[in-house]
Amino acid sequence: MNELKQGCNLEKCFLCSNTVPEWRETINLHKKNLKFKKGEAIFREGDNVKGMYFVFSVTAKIHKKWGDNKEIIIRFAANGAIMGHRGLGSKMVYTVSATALEPLVVCFVEMDFFAASLKTNNDLTYKLMVLFAEELEESEKKMRDLAHMPVKGRLAQALITLCEQFGKNEEGYINLELSRHDLASFAAATYETVFREIKILLKEHIIEVTGKMIKIRDTDKLLQLATGVIQENDE
């Protein structure tokens, strides 16, 4: 991790975009821009909360331990997203981990300043409350899918979610390079099962794969798998 000197993205940053203009100069005085290497931990599950992180460039994965030597990816953070807020509360311990998927730059502010920002900016407090509600709803949906949806359906939903969040590049691929292991963690499945299901989706011409890039070729069929219209039994 290295400290950098650079400006903020005022339009996309969760902190800057939800505070009054007069507060932004104060943010500039308290923030630090930190650079992380690919695969480097930004913070780890169980660490004491030191402050809040905001993605300046590229993408990080937010993940949680899942059984022995396994993890489940809860979400991907990009474009000014806040990281570390799940650690807010009486214990002040990060309940998830954050790891850079590529060389990553984040904006960091210490907890005392973030607390002062919440007390001073009503919009920031409200937007954080809404974010908690949305993430709780998404977590409940993920748990429901894990209990009732077969792996192919969870994989289909994962691909749809990634396409919605990151869009497509000029060649039509989802605009995010993701390893099969990370895709499996996001779909809450084992690597071996996801690898098998990808081969089936390729054979059925529903997706196309080049390296770590995935293109959705048949959106309708993928949506049918994700919503359970097409029922598939895991072998």
Side-chain angles (χ1 to χ4, degrees):
M1 176 187 69
N2 296 314
E3 186 173 345
L4 305 174
K5 293 291 185 181
Q6 58 190 91
C8 287
N9 188 327
L10 299 180
E11 294 182 359
K12 293 184 178 181
C13 175
F14 186 88
L15 179 60
C16 292
S17 63
N18 291 308
T19 52
V20 295
E22 295 79 9
W23 191 252
R24 292 173 185 168
E25 183 56 36
T26 310
I27 294 173
N28 193 49
L29 294 174
H30 286 82
K31 74 176 180 67
K32 295 179 182 178
N33 287 114
L34 307 176
K35 184 177 181 180
F36 293 85
K37 298 176 183 178
K38 178 180 179 180
E40 186 176 0
I42 301 162
F43 56 83
R44 291 183 174 87
E45 184 177 349
D47 288 349
N48 292 327
V49 173
K50 296 179 180 178
M52 294 295 115
Y53 299 82
F54 304 87
V55 178
F56 185 86
S57 65
V58 201
T59 308
K61 64 178 180 179
I62 312 300
H63 51 104
K64 189 173 182 63
K65 294 176 183 176
W66 179 37
D68 296 332
N69 301 318
K70 294 180 182 179
E71 68 175 25
I72 182 169
I73 295 178
I74 298 170
R75 65 185 177 96
F76 295 95
N79 299 323
I82 185 174
M83 300 186 296
H85 56 289
R86 286 174 176 258
L88 296 175
S90 58
K91 294 183 179 180
M92 294 300 287
V93 171
Y94 294 120
T95 59
V96 294
S97 300
T99 302
L101 287 178
E102 303 172 71
L104 174 77
V105 177
V106 301
C107 177
F108 170 79
V109 296
E110 294 183 355
M111 194 57 232
D112 287 347
F113 177 72
F114 184 70
S117 298
L118 290 173
K119 294 174 182 177
T120 308
N121 296 271
N122 293 333
D123 283 350
L124 179 64
T125 304
Y126 175 74
K127 290 294 179 61
L128 185 62
M129 181 185 69
V130 171
L131 179 62
F132 272 121
E134 291 174 345
E135 290 191 349
L136 177 59
E137 180 182 4
E138 186 61 30
S139 295
E140 291 173 342
K141 179 179 180 297
K142 207 174 188 75
M143 293 302 296
R144 183 177 67 248
D145 291 347
L146 184 59
H148 301 291
M149 185 181 287
V151 173
K152 183 174 281 189
R154 299 204 302 271
L155 176 59
Q157 183 59 61
L159 293 173
I160 291 168
T161 299
L162 290 173
C163 191
E164 289 175 347
Q165 180 177 358
F166 294 98
K168 301 177 182 179
N169 63 18
E170 294 180 356
E171 290 75 34
Y173 291 90
I174 296 173
N175 199 25
L176 176 70
E177 290 191 14
L178 201 61
S179 71
R180 297 293 178 271
H181 285 284
D182 282 342
L183 181 58
S185 295
F186 190 50
T190 63
Y191 169 81
E192 293 78 12
T193 305
V194 166
F195 183 79
R196 182 192 69 197
E197 296 296 350
I198 285 177
K199 290 177 67 176
I200 295 173
L201 293 177
L202 285 167
K203 186 177 180 180
E204 295 174 350
H205 304 292
I206 296 175
I207 65 171
E208 179 180 324
V209 175
T210 301
K212 294 182 180 180
M213 304 297 290
I214 298 178
K215 178 190 294 185
I216 299 174
R217 297 185 62 183
D218 194 327
T219 303
D220 290 340
K221 282 190 177 180
L222 205 63
L223 284 168
Q224 289 172 356
L225 288 170
T227 55
V229 174
I230 299 177
Q231 297 290 335
E232 295 279 351
N233 293 321
D234 297 329
E235 298 176 359

mmCIF file of all heavy atoms in Angstrom, residues 138-168:
data_model
loop_
_atom_site.group_PDB
_atom_site.id
_atom_site.type_symbol
_atom_site.label_atom_id
_atom_site.label_comp_id
_atom_site.label_asym_id
_atom_site.label_seq_id
_atom_site.Cartn_x
_atom_site.Cartn_y
_atom_site.Cartn_z
ATOM 1 N N GLU A 138 -30.390 -7.373 -0.493
ATOM 2 C CA GLU A 138 -29.600 -8.188 -1.406
ATOM 3 C C GLU A 138 -29.022 -9.405 -0.686
ATOM 4 O O GLU A 138 -28.977 -10.513 -1.253
ATOM 5 C CB GLU A 138 -28.466 -7.350 -2.009
ATOM 6 C CG GLU A 138 -27.669 -8.062 -3.083
ATOM 7 C CD GLU A 138 -28.491 -8.477 -4.281
ATOM 8 O OE1 GLU A 138 -29.476 -7.793 -4.604
ATOM 9 O OE2 GLU A 138 -28.139 -9.512 -4.898
ATOM 10 N N SER A 139 -28.590 -9.230 0.551
ATOM 11 C CA SER A 139 -28.056 -10.353 1.323
ATOM 12 C C SER A 139 -29.131 -11.399 1.592
ATOM 13 O O SER A 139 -28.882 -12.610 1.509
ATOM 14 C CB SER A 139 -27.475 -9.854 2.650
ATOM 15 O OG SER A 139 -26.361 -9.032 2.441
ATOM 16 N N GLU A 140 -30.335 -10.940 1.908
ATOM 17 C CA GLU A 140 -31.442 -11.868 2.142
ATOM 18 C C GLU A 140 -31.789 -12.634 0.872
ATOM 19 O O GLU A 140 -32.074 -13.839 0.914
ATOM 20 C CB GLU A 140 -32.662 -11.106 2.662
ATOM 21 C CG GLU A 140 -32.473 -10.564 4.078
ATOM 22 C CD GLU A 140 -33.615 -9.674 4.516
ATOM 23 O OE1 GLU A 140 -34.374 -9.194 3.639
ATOM 24 O OE2 GLU A 140 -33.740 -9.444 5.731
ATOM 25 N N LYS A 141 -31.743 -11.946 -0.268
ATOM 26 C CA LYS A 141 -32.010 -12.602 -1.545
ATOM 27 C C LYS A 141 -30.938 -13.642 -1.850
ATOM 28 O O LYS A 141 -31.231 -14.746 -2.329
ATOM 29 C CB LYS A 141 -32.068 -11.565 -2.661
ATOM 30 C CG LYS A 141 -32.330 -12.145 -4.046
ATOM 31 C CD LYS A 141 -32.392 -11.050 -5.089
ATOM 32 C CE LYS A 141 -32.654 -11.628 -6.471
ATOM 33 N NZ LYS A 141 -31.569 -12.527 -6.914
ATOM 34 N N LYS A 142 -29.681 -13.310 -1.555
ATOM 35 C CA LYS A 142 -28.583 -14.229 -1.815
ATOM 36 C C LYS A 142 -28.718 -15.491 -0.968
ATOM 37 O O LYS A 142 -28.471 -16.597 -1.437
ATOM 38 C CB LYS A 142 -27.243 -13.532 -1.534
ATOM 39 C CG LYS A 142 -26.075 -14.074 -2.336
ATOM 40 C CD LYS A 142 -24.837 -13.225 -2.110
ATOM 41 C CE LYS A 142 -23.717 -13.634 -3.053
ATOM 42 N NZ LYS A 142 -23.913 -13.184 -4.430
ATOM 43 N N MET A 143 -29.119 -15.315 0.295
ATOM 44 C CA MET A 143 -29.319 -16.472 1.161
ATOM 45 C C MET A 143 -30.482 -17.322 0.675
ATOM 46 O O MET A 143 -30.425 -18.558 0.728
ATOM 47 C CB MET A 143 -29.565 -16.004 2.602
ATOM 48 C CG MET A 143 -28.356 -15.352 3.261
ATOM 49 S SD MET A 143 -26.920 -16.454 3.299
ATOM 50 C CE MET A 143 -27.540 -17.770 4.348
ATOM 51 N N ARG A 144 -31.542 -16.679 0.199
ATOM 52 C CA ARG A 144 -32.691 -17.420 -0.332
ATOM 53 C C ARG A 144 -32.294 -18.200 -1.580
ATOM 54 O O ARG A 144 -32.646 -19.370 -1.742
ATOM 55 C CB ARG A 144 -33.827 -16.449 -0.649
ATOM 56 C CG ARG A 144 -35.099 -17.138 -1.142
ATOM 57 C CD ARG A 144 -36.220 -16.144 -1.362
ATOM 58 N NE ARG A 144 -35.935 -15.237 -2.463
ATOM 59 C CZ ARG A 144 -35.712 -13.944 -2.330
ATOM 60 N NH1 ARG A 144 -35.713 -13.403 -1.129
ATOM 61 N NH2 ARG A 144 -35.483 -13.181 -3.377
ATOM 62 N N ASP A 145 -31.521 -17.551 -2.454
ATOM 63 C CA ASP A 145 -31.069 -18.231 -3.675
ATOM 64 C C ASP A 145 -30.155 -19.407 -3.339
ATOM 65 O O ASP A 145 -30.219 -20.461 -3.986
ATOM 66 C CB ASP A 145 -30.316 -17.245 -4.580
ATOM 67 C CG ASP A 145 -31.234 -16.188 -5.180
ATOM 68 O OD1 ASP A 145 -32.463 -16.362 -5.101
ATOM 69 O OD2 ASP A 145 -30.714 -15.189 -5.707
ATOM 70 N N LEU A 146 -29.306 -19.218 -2.333
ATOM 71 C CA LEU A 146 -28.387 -20.275 -1.936
ATOM 72 C C LEU A 146 -29.159 -21.504 -1.457
ATOM 73 O O LEU A 146 -28.743 -22.640 -1.694
ATOM 74 C CB LEU A 146 -27.460 -19.767 -0.827
ATOM 75 C CG LEU A 146 -26.360 -20.709 -0.336
ATOM 76 C CD1 LEU A 146 -25.441 -21.104 -1.484
ATOM 77 C CD2 LEU A 146 -25.557 -20.061 0.782
ATOM 78 N N ALA A 147 -30.290 -21.268 -0.800
ATOM 79 C CA ALA A 147 -31.079 -22.370 -0.257
ATOM 80 C C ALA A 147 -31.972 -23.039 -1.304
ATOM 81 O O ALA A 147 -32.203 -24.253 -1.237
ATOM 82 C CB ALA A 147 -31.934 -21.868 0.902
ATOM 83 N N HIS A 148 -32.451 -22.267 -2.282
ATOM 84 C CA HIS A 148 -33.475 -22.798 -3.179
ATOM 85 C C HIS A 148 -33.094 -22.844 -4.656
ATOM 86 O O HIS A 148 -33.720 -23.585 -5.425
ATOM 87 C CB HIS A 148 -34.764 -21.964 -3.036
ATOM 88 C CG HIS A 148 -35.331 -21.950 -1.648
ATOM 89 N ND1 HIS A 148 -35.899 -23.051 -1.063
ATOM 90 C CD2 HIS A 148 -35.375 -20.964 -0.714
ATOM 91 C CE1 HIS A 148 -36.295 -22.754 0.159
ATOM 92 N NE2 HIS A 148 -35.991 -21.497 0.407
ATOM 93 N N MET A 149 -32.100 -22.083 -5.083
ATOM 94 C CA MET A 149 -31.782 -22.004 -6.506
ATOM 95 C C MET A 149 -30.619 -22.925 -6.858
ATOM 96 O O MET A 149 -29.617 -22.938 -6.141
ATOM 97 C CB MET A 149 -31.436 -20.558 -6.889
ATOM 98 C CG MET A 149 -31.213 -20.356 -8.388
ATOM 99 S SD MET A 149 -30.770 -18.631 -8.790
ATOM 100 C CE MET A 149 -32.358 -17.817 -8.568
ATOM 101 N N PRO A 150 -30.731 -23.714 -7.931
ATOM 102 C CA PRO A 150 -29.604 -24.557 -8.341
ATOM 103 C C PRO A 150 -28.425 -23.710 -8.806
ATOM 104 O O PRO A 150 -28.571 -22.515 -9.077
ATOM 105 C CB PRO A 150 -30.179 -25.385 -9.501
ATOM 106 C CG PRO A 150 -31.320 -24.570 -10.011
ATOM 107 C CD PRO A 150 -31.897 -23.877 -8.812
ATOM 108 N N VAL A 151 -27.259 -24.328 -8.897
ATOM 109 C CA VAL A 151 -26.043 -23.593 -9.225
ATOM 110 C C VAL A 151 -26.158 -22.873 -10.566
ATOM 111 O O VAL A 151 -25.734 -21.721 -10.694
ATOM 112 C CB VAL A 151 -24.822 -24.538 -9.231
ATOM 113 C CG1 VAL A 151 -23.589 -23.797 -9.746
ATOM 114 C CG2 VAL A 151 -24.552 -25.053 -7.837
ATOM 115 N N LYS A 152 -26.750 -23.525 -11.556
ATOM 116 C CA LYS A 152 -26.848 -22.874 -12.866
ATOM 117 C C LYS A 152 -27.663 -21.591 -12.770
ATOM 118 O O LYS A 152 -27.334 -20.585 -13.406
ATOM 119 C CB LYS A 152 -27.469 -23.811 -13.909
ATOM 120 C CG LYS A 152 -27.524 -23.183 -15.301
ATOM 121 C CD LYS A 152 -28.005 -24.169 -16.358
ATOM 122 C CE LYS A 152 -26.888 -25.095 -16.775
ATOM 123 N NZ LYS A 152 -27.255 -25.923 -17.951
ATOM 124 N N GLY A 153 -28.710 -21.591 -11.965
ATOM 125 C CA GLY A 153 -29.514 -20.388 -11.783
ATOM 126 C C GLY A 153 -28.729 -19.302 -11.064
ATOM 127 O O GLY A 153 -28.813 -18.122 -11.421
ATOM 128 N N ARG A 154 -27.956 -19.676 -10.038
ATOM 129 C CA ARG A 154 -27.147 -18.691 -9.314
ATOM 130 C C ARG A 154 -26.052 -18.130 -10.205
ATOM 131 O O ARG A 154 -25.728 -16.936 -10.133
ATOM 132 C CB ARG A 154 -26.544 -19.326 -8.056
ATOM 133 C CG ARG A 154 -27.579 -19.825 -7.068
ATOM 134 C CD ARG A 154 -27.038 -19.888 -5.655
ATOM 135 N NE ARG A 154 -25.867 -20.724 -5.517
ATOM 136 C CZ ARG A 154 -25.894 -22.032 -5.249
ATOM 137 N NH1 ARG A 154 -27.062 -22.661 -5.147
ATOM 138 N NH2 ARG A 154 -24.773 -22.707 -5.077
ATOM 139 N N LEU A 155 -25.473 -18.970 -11.039
ATOM 140 C CA LEU A 155 -24.456 -18.501 -11.984
ATOM 141 C C LEU A 155 -25.070 -17.535 -12.994
ATOM 142 O O LEU A 155 -24.483 -16.486 -13.301
ATOM 143 C CB LEU A 155 -23.825 -19.685 -12.703
ATOM 144 C CG LEU A 155 -22.798 -19.357 -13.792
ATOM 145 C CD1 LEU A 155 -21.634 -18.550 -13.230
ATOM 146 C CD2 LEU A 155 -22.285 -20.634 -14.451
ATOM 147 N N ALA A 156 -26.247 -17.863 -13.488
ATOM 148 C CA ALA A 156 -26.936 -16.985 -14.436
ATOM 149 C C ALA A 156 -27.227 -15.632 -13.793
ATOM 150 O O ALA A 156 -27.002 -14.576 -14.393
ATOM 151 C CB ALA A 156 -28.238 -17.637 -14.903
ATOM 152 N N GLN A 157 -27.708 -15.651 -12.542
ATOM 153 C CA GLN A 157 -28.004 -14.402 -11.840
ATOM 154 C C GLN A 157 -26.745 -13.597 -11.604
ATOM 155 O O GLN A 157 -26.746 -12.362 -11.724
ATOM 156 C CB GLN A 157 -28.689 -14.706 -10.507
ATOM 157 C CG GLN A 157 -29.101 -13.470 -9.729
ATOM 158 C CD GLN A 157 -30.051 -12.590 -10.502
ATOM 159 O OE1 GLN A 157 -31.154 -13.014 -10.866
ATOM 160 N NE2 GLN A 157 -29.648 -11.359 -10.787
ATOM 161 N N ALA A 158 -25.643 -14.280 -11.275
ATOM 162 C CA ALA A 158 -24.374 -13.588 -11.063
ATOM 163 C C ALA A 158 -23.925 -12.869 -12.330
ATOM 164 O O ALA A 158 -23.487 -11.710 -12.275
ATOM 165 C CB ALA A 158 -23.309 -14.584 -10.620
ATOM 166 N N LEU A 159 -24.035 -13.518 -13.465
ATOM 167 C CA LEU A 159 -23.623 -12.908 -14.736
ATOM 168 C C LEU A 159 -24.515 -11.716 -15.089
ATOM 169 O O LEU A 159 -24.029 -10.687 -15.571
ATOM 170 C CB LEU A 159 -23.657 -13.947 -15.856
ATOM 171 C CG LEU A 159 -22.628 -15.076 -15.747
ATOM 172 C CD1 LEU A 159 -22.873 -16.128 -16.825
ATOM 173 C CD2 LEU A 159 -21.203 -14.523 -15.869
ATOM 174 N N ILE A 160 -25.799 -11.843 -14.841
ATOM 175 C CA ILE A 160 -26.720 -10.735 -15.112
ATOM 176 C C ILE A 160 -26.390 -9.543 -14.215
ATOM 177 O O ILE A 160 -26.350 -8.396 -14.666
ATOM 178 C CB ILE A 160 -28.180 -11.187 -14.891
ATOM 179 C CG1 ILE A 160 -28.588 -12.188 -15.971
ATOM 180 C CG2 ILE A 160 -29.127 -9.988 -14.896
ATOM 181 C CD1 ILE A 160 -29.895 -12.900 -15.686
ATOM 182 N N THR A 161 -26.126 -9.812 -12.940
ATOM 183 C CA THR A 161 -25.790 -8.746 -11.995
ATOM 184 C C THR A 161 -24.505 -8.034 -12.403
ATOM 185 O O THR A 161 -24.424 -6.795 -12.371
ATOM 186 C CB THR A 161 -25.623 -9.324 -10.577
ATOM 187 O OG1 THR A 161 -26.864 -9.924 -10.171
ATOM 188 C CG2 THR A 161 -25.240 -8.232 -9.582
ATOM 189 N N LEU A 162 -23.489 -8.801 -12.811
ATOM 190 C CA LEU A 162 -22.222 -8.204 -13.231
ATOM 191 C C LEU A 162 -22.407 -7.345 -14.483
ATOM 192 O O LEU A 162 -21.821 -6.269 -14.598
ATOM 193 C CB LEU A 162 -21.193 -9.303 -13.504
ATOM 194 C CG LEU A 162 -20.684 -10.059 -12.274
ATOM 195 C CD1 LEU A 162 -19.814 -11.236 -12.696
ATOM 196 C CD2 LEU A 162 -19.907 -9.132 -11.351
ATOM 197 N N CYS A 163 -23.230 -7.822 -15.407
ATOM 198 C CA CYS A 163 -23.480 -7.062 -16.637
ATOM 199 C C CYS A 163 -24.211 -5.759 -16.326
ATOM 200 O O CYS A 163 -23.909 -4.708 -16.900
ATOM 201 C CB CYS A 163 -24.280 -7.910 -17.620
ATOM 202 S SG CYS A 163 -24.394 -7.212 -19.274
ATOM 203 N N GLU A 164 -25.151 -5.811 -15.396
ATOM 204 C CA GLU A 164 -25.893 -4.611 -15.021
ATOM 205 C C GLU A 164 -24.990 -3.604 -14.319
ATOM 206 O O GLU A 164 -25.115 -2.397 -14.533
ATOM 207 C CB GLU A 164 -27.066 -4.988 -14.109
ATOM 208 C CG GLU A 164 -28.189 -5.730 -14.831
ATOM 209 C CD GLU A 164 -29.289 -6.189 -13.883
ATOM 210 O OE1 GLU A 164 -29.054 -6.152 -12.648
ATOM 211 O OE2 GLU A 164 -30.364 -6.583 -14.358
ATOM 212 N N GLN A 165 -24.074 -4.083 -13.477
ATOM 213 C CA GLN A 165 -23.215 -3.176 -12.716
ATOM 214 C C GLN A 165 -22.104 -2.583 -13.563
ATOM 215 O O GLN A 165 -21.825 -1.381 -13.470
ATOM 216 C CB GLN A 165 -22.604 -3.896 -11.509
ATOM 217 C CG GLN A 165 -21.699 -2.974 -10.680
ATOM 218 C CD GLN A 165 -21.138 -3.634 -9.436
ATOM 219 O OE1 GLN A 165 -21.432 -4.786 -9.129
ATOM 220 N NE2 GLN A 165 -20.308 -2.904 -8.695
ATOM 221 N N PHE A 166 -21.462 -3.406 -14.403
ATOM 222 C CA PHE A 166 -20.268 -2.955 -15.107
ATOM 223 C C PHE A 166 -20.491 -2.684 -16.591
ATOM 224 O O PHE A 166 -19.623 -2.117 -17.257
ATOM 225 C CB PHE A 166 -19.146 -3.995 -14.946
ATOM 226 C CG PHE A 166 -18.666 -4.129 -13.531
ATOM 227 C CD1 PHE A 166 -19.126 -5.150 -12.719
ATOM 228 C CD2 PHE A 166 -17.783 -3.210 -12.989
ATOM 229 C CE1 PHE A 166 -18.705 -5.273 -11.402
ATOM 230 C CE2 PHE A 166 -17.348 -3.320 -11.679
ATOM 231 C CZ PHE A 166 -17.813 -4.354 -10.887
ATOM 232 N N GLY A 167 -21.641 -3.074 -17.130
ATOM 233 C CA GLY A 167 -21.902 -2.833 -18.540
ATOM 234 C C GLY A 167 -21.062 -3.717 -19.445
ATOM 235 O O GLY A 167 -20.440 -4.688 -18.998
ATOM 236 N N LYS A 168 -21.034 -3.345 -20.722
ATOM 237 C CA LYS A 168 -20.298 -4.127 -21.715
ATOM 238 C C LYS A 168 -19.227 -3.266 -22.383
ATOM 239 O O LYS A 168 -19.394 -2.051 -22.518
ATOM 240 C CB LYS A 168 -21.254 -4.661 -22.782
ATOM 241 C CG LYS A 168 -22.371 -5.554 -22.256
ATOM 242 C CD LYS A 168 -23.311 -5.970 -23.381
ATOM 243 C CE LYS A 168 -24.453 -6.825 -22.864
ATOM 244 N NZ LYS A 168 -25.396 -7.207 -23.952
#
